[in-house]
């Protein structure tokens, strides 16, 4: 470590990186770019599984009791298993690996100008643990009794007693998979934070870091600070299931509410853990495609700090009617509604960034703008649910469901497509087809709204979540409501079909697309100053940074961008 | 941090060496894991959940001996660090193995204690206190075992003459394990009312 | 290891720790519950501080590390006090009955 | 707005609907403002050849006011929302008005048992009336409920009453409601409770005084026909209604009859 303080700053690092065998290059890589691909591809495969589950249970809701094509009959137990694992997969195995671990791995070293993560082998280990957790989760679908069906929140005693859940090993493997996944992201997170804190290119000050990197690191810090109690809780839940302790069983002196607190103390920051990376990616994309400096870089950053801090003190708004002390609910209403202030300011800043710009509606920009539009709906409907008295009516209804799909869908799916279409040229050295990209965009965004906007009205009509067949509730079994359900399901199928366009575009472009230049979008950040795709070691000469990441359209310059690593002209 | 590690590993924008920074982050997240467990324990205890008076059945002597052992092993591991800073590999190697020996003594006492409890019928499912007792000390013991394994690997590494900084890193981890025990000791052994 | 700092006298710290340990073991023998709490947990905190500051070299560490650790402990505090009203004030099932009686609510508030 | 979809059949349903309306006004205003700005900017500032984007840092006061002033306005409106909400919440969940009647609600996998206090208004006396999946209420009475669970978490949810409360095993949770509209409404379990969560419903019937007394007498004589079962039998068939659903139905009825 003696050379740490006097790091060799601009040596050519070609000699470190000799050619590796296929095994070490693609199967056991230490290169952050390959690990990022592994995360992204695993996440996308899991997204296909999650989407398939959504298809199966939406079909059951629209046509109850019918055989679902490509699936079969969805009974009550299977329905519970499908919704539970759809939620779990989409949050823990799609949003987190793709957005944080995948794109975090890909862009952090490139954007801060270093040759790799600080702990490449730790990085590999965290992917391998993640892969193990994925396999455990998939295994849990096939054990006796089927996959876990106690909702992704896994409230005990249902999740902790096999006689209640009827999924003995399904529940245990589910807890095990989730715990492994947490360990994986803890290790990965330590790597991300340390890299960004220590390994920045010379000259890169805190306020020169691109927002995308800032937000991913903030997300990771939020994750690390919130997940600990839930890991403890997962250990306790696992012991309740397998050893027979009674941490969460009232009959043995435990308390089921304790798990809810442990879960939501993690669960609410988790929302911001997956939200922040997408917000950061979107900030980078809208500045590039509107050729504008980000409006109020510091304001945006501070609002993110405020959001992150507040997210730790709002968790009980998920439990307003769960039997908590009603007086505490008032405290949590105040903190919950307060969170709208920094987020509103951040949204205002994003929209203000567009003002006076020169907006070019390329596919990544369409995704980024649609994220803002959709997230606005998701954000404002959150106010309803933060109000405890309204939560009395809306708790666990389709209103909640529509609300968080209006946040999670933009975050996960739209954010993922925005990031993939934006960095695809850098990742594979080829351009994606813009026309197909736009077809895919409209084919996803319009059906998305058709799926979830009607669900707000189902929620207003008092329809509850996680019920496999509404015929059992006469108030809900009316033809009008059923028509809405069918409409949403049909929209879902349309949306899923349009994903084929993306898959086609993705793979054809990867091998046959137009060769991409180093900097196809004329962007400022460091990753665009290296060849596409970047070689092992990222930069031929490690860059030095001279300015912030968003110096677009600076007056007096001929070019409308000004890369971070371009030395200032002598004057 | 192999010889061919990336340049990124050797940068230090914060002024804290990368390895140490990472270990501190690890410690911060461990605080949450153990802290979450301890918080749950305290919640149930202050709530007067039946069974928590069983704290009087834990052996204060065994607990005190274990505290003594861990404190002493903390001393030896920090002396190992001091020795390696002076470049004295052999002395450092020896001190690391004293620490590992301390770990073995700790686990031995722990095993003796568990045996006594189980023979008397205080198994993990008896009541909430014993559930917490075995969970917390068990998780802590796993950390002790993990630390011992890593320490053994490091000791041979430094004898060959590389990765000296790792002695300090495992030291920080070991002290943290010691710290956890410092809080578990009064919780489980002393506060028996 | 690039930073040079004087090593504290580790053996002296160790002896202090042992003295504190002896005190915390002796504490309960007086059989005064309040005193036991003070000797047990007060001394635990002092011991923890001694270990952290000297053995873990926190004394010489950058402020950011302090910040990091304090932040963790604060978050735990938030967690504890957010959960405590639900788990600890239940006393079985009485607390909602208490809400029912308005005068009782006012007392509690 | 909620009333358009669901009857409002309890005394506090109106308050919740009003709260919904207030919040809708406020957030509707913000939503259309920001959404309008977004759409307007996208069309106004499209790329034109030869026109360079402006260089705006967003750090000078003259620029930040465009985001700061709206954000102060957001704070003001947040205060309104919080205040209105807390008023409603305190009324619904935090205060318990004097009771006229009492009912114990017990959730279990996967049915509801109700113990009506009977004429004396006290539970655990000889005149208690127990029913399964059928709750009978007298219009205009302020009811207290004692909510219990035998196994896992359940949720006592009656959308028409805007009422919802988790049943937690090991605790008795009390609360209140006051039915104000005669009719039969759905009770749905709103907390995942396992395999039969999707069938765990019950019928809540609000009676006039006279019909309430008749029904109670019928239950005690054993001549009563379950509202729940009647209701399940007469629901409108859906286009894709198949025999499998009938099987599930009989399963639900079977379960109900066991308890």
């Amino acid at each position: 470590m003696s050379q740490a303080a006097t790091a060799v700053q601009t040596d050519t690092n070609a000699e470190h990186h000799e050619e590796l065998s296929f095994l070490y290059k693609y199967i056991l890589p230490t290169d952050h770019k390959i690990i990022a691909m592994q995360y992204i591809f695993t996440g996308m495969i899991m997204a296909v599984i999650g989407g398939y589950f959504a298809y199966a249970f939406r079909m059951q809701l629209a046509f109850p009791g019918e055989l679902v094509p490509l699936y079969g009959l969805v009974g009550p137990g299977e329905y519970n298993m499908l919704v539970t694992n759809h939620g779990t997969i989409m949050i823990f195995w799609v949003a987190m690996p793709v957005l944080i671990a995948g794109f975090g791995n890909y862009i952090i070293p490139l954007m801060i100008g270093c040759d790799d993560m600080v702990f490449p082998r730790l990085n590999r280990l965290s992917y391998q643990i993640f892969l193990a957790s994925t396999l455990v989760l998939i295994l849990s679908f096939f054990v006796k009794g089927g996959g876990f069906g106690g909702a992704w929140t896994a409230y005990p005693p249902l999740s902790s007693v096999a006689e209640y859940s009827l999924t003995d090993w399904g529940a245990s493997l589910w807890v095990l998979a989730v715990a492994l996944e947490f360990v994986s992201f803890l290790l990965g997170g330590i790597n991300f934070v340390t890299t960004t804190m220590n390994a920045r290119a010379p000259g890169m000050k805190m306020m020169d870091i691109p927002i995308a990197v800032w937000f991913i690191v903030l997300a990771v810090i939020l994750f690390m600070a919130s997940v600990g109690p839930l890991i403890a809780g997962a250990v306790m839940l696992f012991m309740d299931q397998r050893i027979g302790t009674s941490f969460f069983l009232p009959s043995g002196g435990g308390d089921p509410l304790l798990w809810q607190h442990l879960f939501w103390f993690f669960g609410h920051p988790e929302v911001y853990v997956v939200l922040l990376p997408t917000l950061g990616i979107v900030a980078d994309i809208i500045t590039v495609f509107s050729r504008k400096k980000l409006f109020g870089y510091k304001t945006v950053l501070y609002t993110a700090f405020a959001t992150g801090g507040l997210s730790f003190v709002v968790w009980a708004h998920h439990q307003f009617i769960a039997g908590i002390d009603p007086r505490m609910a008032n405290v949590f209403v105040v903190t919950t509604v307060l969170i709208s202030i920094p987020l509103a300011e951040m949204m205002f800043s994003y929209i203000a960034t567009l003002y006076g710009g020169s907006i070019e509606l390329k596919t990544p920009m369409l995704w980024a703008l649609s994220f803002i539009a959709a997230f606005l709906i998701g954000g404002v409907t959150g106010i309803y649910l933060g109000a405890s008295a309204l939560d009395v009516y809306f708790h666990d209804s389709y209103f909640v469901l529509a609300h968080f799909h209006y946040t999670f869908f933009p975050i996960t799916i739209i954010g993922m497509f925005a990031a993939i279409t934006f960095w695809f040229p850098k990742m594979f050295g080829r351009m994606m087809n813009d026309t197909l990209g736009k077809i895919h965009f409209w084919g996803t965004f319009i059906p998305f709204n058709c799926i979830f906007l009607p669900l707000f009205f189902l929620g207003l009509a008092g329809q509850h979540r996680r019920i496999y067949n509404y015929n059992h509730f006469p108030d809900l079994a009316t033809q009008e409501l059923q028509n809405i359900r069918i409409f949403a399901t049909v929209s879902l199928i349309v949306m899923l079909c349009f994903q084929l366009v993306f898959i086609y575009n993705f793979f054809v472009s990867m091998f046959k697309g137009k060769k991409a230049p180093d900097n196809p979008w004329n962007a400022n950040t460091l990753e665009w100053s290296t060849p596409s795709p970047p070689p092992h070691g990222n930069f031929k000469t490690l860059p030095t940074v001279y300015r912030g990441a968003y110096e677009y359209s600076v007056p007096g310059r001929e070019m409308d961008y000004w890369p971070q690593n371009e030395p200032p002209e002598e004057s | 941090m192999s010889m061919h590690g990336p340049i990124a590993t050797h940068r230090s924008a914060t002024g804290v060496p990368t390895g140490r920074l990472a270990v501190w982050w690890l410690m911060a997240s461990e605080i949450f894991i153990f802290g979450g467990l301890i918080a749950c324990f305290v919640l149930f205890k202050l709530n007067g959940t039946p069974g928590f008076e069983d704290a009087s059945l834990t052996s204060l002597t065994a607990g005190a001996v274990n505290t003594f052992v861990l404190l002493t092993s903390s001393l030896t591991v920090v002396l190992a660090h001091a020795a390696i800073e002076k470049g004295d590999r052999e002395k450092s190697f020896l001190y690391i193995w004293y620490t590992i020996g301390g770990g073995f003594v700790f686990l031995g006492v722990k095993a003796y204690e568990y045996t006594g409890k189980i023979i008397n019928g205080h198994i993990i499912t008896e009541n909430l206190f014993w559930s917490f007792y075995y969970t917390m000390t068990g998780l802590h013991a796993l950390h002790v075992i993990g630390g011992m394994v890593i320490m053994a690997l490091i000791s041979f590494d430094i004898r060959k003459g590389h990765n000296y900084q790792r002695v300090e890193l495992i030291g920080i981890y070991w002290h943290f394990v010691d710290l956890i025990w410092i809080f578990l000791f009064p919780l489980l052994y002393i506060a028996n009312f | 290891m690039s930073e040079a700092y004087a090593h504290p006298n580790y053996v002296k710290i160790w002896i202090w720790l042992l003295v504190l340990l002896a005190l915390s073991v002796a504490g309960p023998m007086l059989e005064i519950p309040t005193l036991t709490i003070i000797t047990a947990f007060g001394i635990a905190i002092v011991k923890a501080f001694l270990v952290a500051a000297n053995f873990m070299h926190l004394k010489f560490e950058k402020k950011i590390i302090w910040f990091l650790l304090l932040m963790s402990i604060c978050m735990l505090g938030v967690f504890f006090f957010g959960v405590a009203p639900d788990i600890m004030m239940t006393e079985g099932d009485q607390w909602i009955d208490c809400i029912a009686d308005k005068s009782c609510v006012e007392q509690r508030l | 707005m909620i009333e358009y979809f669901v009857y409002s059949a309890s005394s506090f349903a109106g308050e919740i609907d009003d709260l919904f309306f207030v919040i809708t006004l406020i957030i509707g205003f913000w939503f259309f403002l920001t959404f309008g700005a977004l759409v307007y900017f996208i069309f106004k500032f499209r790329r034109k050849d030869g026109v360079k984007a402006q260089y705006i840092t967003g750090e000078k006061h003259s620029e930040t006011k465009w985001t700061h002033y709206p954000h102060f306005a957001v704070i003001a409106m947040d205060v309104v929302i919080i205040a209105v909400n807390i008023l409603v919440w305190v009324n619904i969940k935090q205060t318990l008005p004097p009771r006229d009647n009492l009912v114990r609600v017990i959730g279990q996998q996967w049915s509801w048992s109700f113990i009506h206090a009977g004429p004396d208004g006290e539970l655990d006396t000889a005149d208690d009336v127990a029913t399964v999946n059928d709750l009978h209420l007298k219009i205009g009475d302020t009811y207290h409920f004692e909510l219990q669970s035998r196994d896992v978490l359940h949720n006592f949810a009656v959308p028409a009453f805007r009422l919802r409360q988790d049943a937690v095993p090991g605790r008795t949770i009390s609360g209140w409601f006051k039915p104000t509209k005669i009719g039969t409404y759905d009770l749905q379990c709103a907390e995942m409770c396992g395999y039969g969560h999707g069938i765990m419903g019950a019928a809540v019937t609000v009676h006039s005084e006279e019909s309430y007394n008749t029904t109670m007498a019928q239950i005690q004589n054993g001549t009563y026909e379950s509202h729940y079962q009647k209701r399940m039998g007469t629901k409108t068939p859906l286009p894709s209604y198949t025999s499998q659903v009938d099987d599930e139905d009989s399963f639900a009825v079977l379960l109900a009859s066991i308890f």
Side-chain angles (χ1 to χ4, degrees):
Chain A
M1 258 0 233
S2 54
Q3 70 273 50
T6 56
V8 195
Q9 289 184 342
T10 48
D11 62 336
T12 53
N13 55 1
E15 70 269 7
H16 295 314
H17 302 294
E18 62 283 351
E19 269 308 300
L20 298 162
S21 66
F22 180 82
L23 178 73
Y24 279 96
K25 193 163 179 196
Y26 295 109
I27 311 292
L28 297 170
T30 53
D31 184 1
H32 72 100
K33 296 185 290 296
I34 309 291
I35 296 175
M37 303 291 182
Q38 290 182 330
Y39 271 118
I40 292 170
F41 281 117
T42 317
M44 280 162 65
I45 291 169
M46 292 308 274
V48 171
I49 299 179
Y52 172 63
F53 284 4
Y55 156 80
F57 65 72
R58 278 265 26 130
M59 286 297 278
Q60 157 70 16
L61 287 178
F63 311 105
E66 304 270 17
L67 282 174
V68 176
L70 302 178
Y71 186 88
L73 197 64
V74 181
E78 268 170 324
Y79 182 85
N80 289 347
M81 174 270 188
L82 289 174
V83 289
T84 303
N85 287 297
H86 168 76
T88 318
I89 286 175
M90 286 302 188
I91 289 170
F92 292 134
W93 276 273
V94 179
M96 306 250 316
V98 172
L99 289 167
I100 301 183
F103 281 101
N105 248 317
Y106 198 83
I107 65 179
I108 286 177
L110 281 168
M111 275 189 160
I112 65 174
C114 59
D115 56 347
D116 207 328
M117 285 284 173
V118 290
F119 303 119
R121 283 181 295 171
L122 184 67
N123 207 4
R124 179 176 65 191
L125 178 70
S126 78
Y127 173 74
Q128 286 161 348
I129 298 177
F130 171 73
L131 188 65
S133 76
T134 313
L135 297 178
V136 171
L137 184 79
I138 291 175
L139 179 69
S140 82
F141 305 153
F142 299 107
V143 293
K144 190 161 169 285
F148 177 55
W152 81 285
T153 50
Y155 284 175
L158 181 62
S159 58
S160 67
V161 180
E163 285 78 38
Y164 295 153
S165 68
L166 305 178
T167 52
D168 187 5
W169 274 101
S172 299
L173 289 178
W174 184 89
V175 175
L176 193 65
V178 171
L180 273 178
E181 209 249 7
F182 290 159
V183 171
S184 151
F185 284 124
L186 263 186
L187 293 179
I190 290 171
N191 207 350
F192 287 11
V193 178
T194 322
T195 305
T196 317
M197 283 174 83
N198 256 355
R200 298 198 299 276
M204 186 179 253
K205 295 189 286 296
M206 299 269 270
M207 294 298 154
D208 296 336
I209 304 175
I211 288 284
V213 174
W214 255 121
F215 279 16
I216 289 176
V217 169
L218 272 180
V220 164
I221 294 176
L222 287 185
F223 177 79
M224 288 167 64
S226 60
V227 79
L230 185 57
I231 292 183
V235 170
M236 285 149 82
L237 184 60
F238 192 78
M239 291 177 64
D240 270 11
Q241 289 171 344
R242 297 263 63 97
I243 299 182
T245 53
S246 47
F247 290 113
F248 303 121
L249 264 187
S251 54
D255 196 331
L257 277 186
L258 180 62
W259 166 267
Q260 301 187 7
H261 281 291
L262 290 166
F263 185 86
W264 288 116
F265 183 76
F266 160 76
H268 199 80
E270 167 71 11
V271 174
Y272 296 91
V273 170
V274 293
L275 165 65
L276 282 173
T278 302
L279 280 174
I281 288 164
V282 164
D284 268 38
I285 294 175
I286 59 174
T287 50
V288 170
F289 289 96
S290 59
R291 318 306 298 163
K292 274 287 305 290
K293 191 179 166 71
L294 185 68
F295 188 92
Y297 177 95
K298 284 185 182 160
T299 318
V300 170
L301 203 52
Y302 295 152
T303 53
F305 288 153
T307 313
L310 276 174
S311 73
F312 279 98
V313 288
V314 299
W315 76 88
H317 66 217
H318 298 270
Q319 303 163 264
F320 280 146
I321 50 119
I324 66 165
D325 190 326
R327 287 156 296 160
M328 284 300 285
N330 293 328
V331 179
F332 284 102
V333 170
V334 174
T335 53
T336 304
V337 176
L338 279 186
I339 238 176
S340 68
I341 296 165
L343 271 180
E345 171 119 23
M346 194 191 286
M347 284 293 123
F348 294 152
S349 294
Y350 278 28
I351 292 170
T353 303
L354 299 174
Y355 178 84
S358 169
I359 297 171
E360 206 178 354
L361 290 181
K362 287 269 175 61
T363 316
M365 184 62 166
L366 281 177
W367 286 113
L369 292 173
S370 70
F371 168 81
I372 297 178
F375 187 71
L376 274 177
I377 301 181
V380 294
T381 49
I383 305 275
Y384 288 113
L385 303 168
S388 53
L390 263 185
D391 194 70
V392 173
Y393 184 59
F394 285 137
H395 178 86
D396 250 6
S397 73
Y398 263 56
F399 196 89
V400 177
L401 185 137
H403 155 70
F404 74 71
H405 277 89
Y406 254 102
T407 58
F408 272 121
F409 187 91
I411 291 169
T412 314
I413 309 295
I414 294 185
M416 179 171 87
F417 286 139
I420 287 178
T421 47
F422 186 60
W423 277 296
F424 190 88
K426 185 53 59 182
M427 286 173 150
F428 301 106
R430 290 176 190 270
M431 304 296 287
M432 275 179 112
N433 185 324
D434 208 47
T435 320
L436 284 179
K438 281 179 181 160
I439 292 173
H440 171 233
F441 167 76
W442 290 111
T444 307
F445 190 65
I446 295 173
F448 153 65
N449 286 294
C450 295
I451 299 169
F452 293 113
L453 269 183
L455 299 191
F456 280 116
F457 296 100
L458 285 180
L460 284 176
Q463 176 173 321
H464 284 165
R465 290 164 74 183
R466 295 162 182 160
I467 286 174
Y468 79 105
N469 182 346
Y470 288 97
N471 285 334
H472 299 297
F473 299 97
D475 284 355
L476 298 174
T478 62
Q479 191 61 52
E480 297 85 46
L481 296 182
Q482 191 62 25
N483 288 345
I484 296 182
R485 287 177 207 127
I486 294 172
F487 178 69
T489 303
V490 172
S491 305
L492 173 79
I493 293 167
V494 171
M495 189 175 88
L496 289 178
C497 291
F498 269 100
Q499 302 317 305
L500 296 175
V501 178
F502 173 77
I503 294 173
Y504 172 81
N505 192 4
F506 188 82
F507 285 106
V508 169
S509 303
M510 196 195 284
F511 297 109
K512 296 219 175 88
K514 201 161 57 106
K515 282 262 187 241
D518 287 358
N519 192 353
W521 316 119
N522 292 340
N524 280 347
T525 40
L526 292 176
E527 80 269 30
W528 302 107
S529 67
T530 160
S532 308
H536 194 174
N538 292 349
F539 298 93
K540 287 212 179 68
T541 308
L542 288 176
T544 308
V545 171
Y546 298 98
R547 63 187 63 77
Y550 299 106
E551 297 300 316
Y552 292 101
S553 307
V554 179
R557 273 180 59 85
E558 197 185 327
M559 309 258 271
D560 64 352
Y561 66 109
W562 200 359
Q564 283 187 283
N565 60 335
E566 190 178 300
E569 298 107 68
E570 301 296 327
S571 58
Chain B
M1 280 190 277
S2 66
M3 313 255 273
H4 288 287
I7 291 161
T9 316
H10 304 294
R11 284 182 173 166
S12 180
T14 51
V16 183
T18 305
R20 210 159 78 203
L21 189 63
V23 171
W24 282 117
W25 273 108
L26 182 70
M27 295 304 97
S29 41
E30 291 268 10
I31 287 181
F32 281 107
I33 298 177
F34 276 103
L37 262 180
I38 291 176
C40 297
F41 177 84
V42 173
L43 284 170
F44 280 119
K45 182 167 181 94
L46 294 184
N47 194 21
T49 309
F52 275 66
E53 61 280 356
D54 282 7
S56 56
L57 301 177
T58 51
S59 156
L60 184 59
T61 330
V65 168
N66 262 347
T67 317
F68 170 75
V69 170
L70 271 191
L71 285 176
T72 314
S73 69
S74 262
L75 175 72
T76 53
V77 81
V78 83
L79 288 176
H81 170 221
I84 200 76
E85 272 199 353
K86 294 197 192 78
D88 193 345
R89 284 190 237 162
E90 285 305 321
K91 199 170 162 197
S92 180
F93 180 80
L94 206 62
Y95 274 128
I96 290 183
W97 276 93
Y98 285 153
T99 315
I100 296 175
F104 275 118
V105 175
F106 177 87
L107 291 177
V109 175
K110 197 88 259 174
Y112 168 78
E113 217 187 317
Y114 277 5
T115 319
K117 296 292 169 287
I118 291 168
I119 287 173
N120 287 329
H122 301 304
I123 52 169
I124 187 164
T125 49
E126 189 189 356
N127 62 37
L128 217 49
F129 174 79
W130 292 106
S131 303
F132 270 111
Y133 171 82
Y134 285 106
T135 312
M136 295 206 287
T137 55
L139 200 60
H140 179 261
L142 281 181
H143 279 74
V144 170
I145 294 170
M148 284 160 63
V149 171
I150 298 167
M151 235 183 274
L153 295 176
I154 288 176
S155 73
F156 294 113
D157 227 20
I158 60 160
R159 203 149 71 152
K160 286 188 207 120
H162 37 82
N163 290 325
Y164 286 180
Q165 82 283 357
R166 289 188 180 171
V167 179
E168 181 180 17
L169 305 186
I170 190 68
I172 292 175
Y173 172 84
W174 192 260
H175 299 313
F176 179 78
V177 173
D178 186 12
L179 278 189
I180 298 292
W181 184 259
I182 286 175
F183 284 102
L184 290 186
F185 174 58
L187 277 175
L188 294 174
Y189 294 89
I190 299 181
N192 52 8
F193 35 81
Chain C
M1 258 163 280
S2 47
E3 310 94 318
Y5 47 75
H7 281 280
N9 186 342
Y10 293 124
V11 178
K12 205 170 99 190
I13 308 277
W14 177 65
I15 291 170
W16 268 114
L17 285 169
L18 293 191
V19 170
L20 288 174
L21 169 64
L23 275 181
S24 61
V25 174
M29 293 173 188
L30 296 174
E31 304 204 336
I32 310 167
T34 349
L35 190 72
T36 312
I37 290 179
I38 294 169
T39 54
F41 293 97
I43 287 178
I45 290 167
V46 175
K47 274 198 289 192
F49 182 78
L50 276 179
V51 171
N54 294 295
F55 286 0
M56 295 168 102
H57 300 135
L58 262 185
K59 263 201 323 208
F60 314 105
E61 202 57 273
K62 297 261 177 203
K63 286 285 163 293
I64 188 159
I65 306 290
W66 283 96
F67 174 74
L68 182 69
L69 298 176
L70 286 180
M71 186 194 79
S72 315
I73 292 165
C74 288
M75 282 301 167
L76 266 185
V78 167
F79 173 73
F80 184 87
F81 288 106
V83 179
D86 290 337
I87 309 297
M88 280 169 49
M89 291 169 75
T90 59
E91 289 159 6
D93 54 7
Q94 271 94 50
W95 66 279
I96 279 286
D97 292 348
C98 190
I99 300 284
D101 182 3
K102 263 188 158 178
S103 61
C104 184
V105 174
E106 273 153 18
Q107 277 168 19
R108 280 256 193 106
L109 287 174
Chain D
M1 266 168 90
I2 302 177
E3 260 183 276
Y4 176 78
F5 295 100
V6 189
Y7 290 121
S8 88
S10 80
S11 58
F12 49 66
E15 293 172 36
I16 289 184
D17 295 359
D18 291 345
L19 177 65
F20 182 82
F21 186 66
V22 168
I23 298 182
T24 306
L25 278 186
I26 292 177
I27 70 161
F29 169 74
W30 281 115
F31 176 71
F32 285 110
L33 193 73
T34 44
F35 195 78
L38 176 70
V39 173
Y40 176 72
F41 287 171
I42 292 174
F43 282 100
K44 178 85 194 301
F45 298 107
R46 288 294 281 280
R47 196 175 114 90
K48 296 180 199 79
D49 282 336
V51 180
K52 204 173 169 186
Q54 300 171 31
Y55 184 75
I56 300 170
T57 59
E59 271 148 21
K60 282 181 295 206
H61 179 71
S62 60
E63 293 157 6
T64 51
K65 68 179 183 198
W66 288 102
T67 57
H68 281 187
Y69 291 165
H71 133 249
F72 290 131
V74 171
I75 296 180
M77 296 201 180
D78 277 355
V79 171
V80 175
I81 293 176
I82 291 172
V84 177
N85 171 67
I86 287 183
L87 284 178
V88 179
W89 173 260
V90 166
N91 181 24
I92 297 175
K93 290 281 183 194
Q94 214 170 314
T95 44
L96 209 50
R99 70 179 161 90
D100 304 319
N101 217 327
L102 186 61
V103 62
R104 180 178 290 152
V105 180
I106 303 166
Q108 65 193 44
Q109 283 181 329
W110 295 282
S111 74
W112 293 98
S113 312
F114 303 100
I115 300 173
H116 306 74
D120 65 348
E122 295 295 332
L123 284 165
D124 302 318
T125 50
D127 62 350
D128 286 356
V129 180
T131 54
V132 172
N133 284 349
D134 256 317
L135 177 59
H136 296 280
L137 303 169
K138 211 190 298 179
I139 188 167
D141 271 14
T142 302
Y143 275 86
H144 284 192
F145 59 83
E146 284 180 8
L147 191 53
Q148 294 172 345
S149 166
R150 286 202 183 144
D151 32 46
V152 300
L153 298 176
H154 297 284
N155 190 313
F156 177 54
V158 187
F161 290 176
R162 314 285 188 269
L163 172 73
R164 196 159 308 207
Q165 180 65 53
D166 267 14
V168 183
R171 295 185 182 194
T172 303
I173 294 176
S174 38
W176 69 281
F177 58 88
K178 182 178 173 185
T180 54
K181 193 174 171 70
I182 291 174
T184 305
Y185 310 105
D186 269 355
L187 188 159
Q188 315 167 352
C189 176
E191 192 70 70
M192 176 56 100
C193 59
Y195 188 85
H197 174 60
I199 53 164
M200 191 171 160
V204 178
T205 314
V206 180
H207 296 270
S208 64
E209 171 125 32
E210 193 183 333
S211 120
Y212 179 80
N213 293 338
T214 334
T215 314
M216 283 294 156
Q218 278 177 344
I219 294 171
Q220 274 160 332
N221 300 337
T223 57
Y224 167 74
E225 197 186 345
S226 163
H227 269 68
Y228 176 67
Q229 285 175 30
K230 268 197 289 191
R231 217 164 127 76
M232 297 304 285
T234 57
K235 65 178 177 265
T236 36
L238 290 166
S240 53
Y241 203 67
T242 64
S243 59
Q244 268 123 20
V245 186
D246 282 334
D247 289 342
E248 291 300 335
D249 260 353
S250 51
F251 178 57
V253 175
L254 178 77
L255 269 175
S257 61
I258 292 170
F259 299 118

